[in-house]
Every structure is written in C-alpha cells, then in structure tokens.
Amino acid sequence: MATTPQASAQPHTESGPAVFPTRSSRRSAAPGTRIETDSLGSLEVPSDAYWGIHTARAMTNFPISRRAISNYPDLIRALARVKQAAARANRDLGVLDAGKADLIDRVCEEIAGGALHEQFVVGVIQGGAGTSTN
C-alpha cells in the first residue's frame, strides 16, 4: 500500500517515521529499532512503526485475541471515519488547531482508503478498552 508521507500522522525522515520527543535513554537501540521511554521505563520499538511504546506494551500485556485489528479492514475504516469526524467537529468548535485538524483529516482519509492498515497491530479484543488503538 502506498502512503503519502507528507500527510501521515508522524513526521518522516528518510529512514521512516520520526520519533516524537520522549525522555532520552542511555541505552542504544538495536539495528532497526528505536528506544521510546514512558513513565514505566524504556522499550525498543521497530524504527519503521507508526505506533510507539504504548502499543508495544499493549501487545505484550493484553495478548487476549492474538488476532490483530488489521484483520478487520472495515473496523479500521470505521475508526478512521470516527476520528476524522471528531477532528472536524473539534476544529469547528475552536478547540483543535486547524492545521492539526486538517492533518488528522487527511491521514484518516488515507486510512479509510486502505493505507497503513498493517500498522494496526494490537489485538482486536484488548485490555485497555481500545486506548492502544487510538
């Protein structure tokens, strides 16, 4: 699936999605990974993943269904449309910056069109009630 890097949720570098700033770690990442840190510590995450440490933790902590959301493209499209509608409504209400809302809108349109579905890696049934999917 072709994606348009300029419209994706994360900024890109030549080697894949860039990492949003997190607390630094002294540990070096293995080749093909990046290190992300949260209040529980640090984890290696694939460097080309659009998801981060919270999704990595969910895959480890909630292996309930062992069937990823990516197996359900209609669900992914529906989630994208709901997030798109929320971004538009919050932009119109003035509580979400128009630039951010437009970026979310464009990425949701890509996802609804079939892009990035492989990035939805958590189980379709998961603890956390969908937080990691969002």
Side-chain angles (χ1 to χ4, degrees), residues 21-118:
T22 58
R23 289 188 293 151
S24 63
S25 172
R26 292 194 170 112
R27 194 173 95 191
S28 296
T33 66
R34 65 182 187 256
I35 296 192
E36 290 198 10
T37 303
D38 65 6
S39 61
L40 298 176
S42 299
L43 284 177
E44 289 186 5
V45 175
S47 58
D48 61 348
Y50 283 73
W51 44 268
I53 193 169
H54 302 292
T55 296
R57 289 194 190 289
M59 290 187 321
T60 301
N61 295 334
F62 307 118
I64 297 168
S65 67
R66 302 197 193 282
R67 189 157 172 84
I69 293 173
S70 59
N71 287 293
Y72 302 94
D74 289 339
L75 176 58
I76 294 172
R77 281 190 289 276
L79 291 168
R81 293 299 186 196
V82 168
K83 193 162 287 281
Q84 185 178 44
R88 290 175 179 177
N90 282 292
R91 177 199 56 215
D92 293 349
L93 291 170
V95 296
L96 180 62
D97 172 76
K100 288 179 182 178
D102 292 342
L103 178 61
I104 293 168
D105 192 302
R106 288 194 316 269
V107 173
C108 288
E109 196 63 40
E110 284 187 26
I111 292 169
L116 302 171
H117 284 209
E118 73 283 353

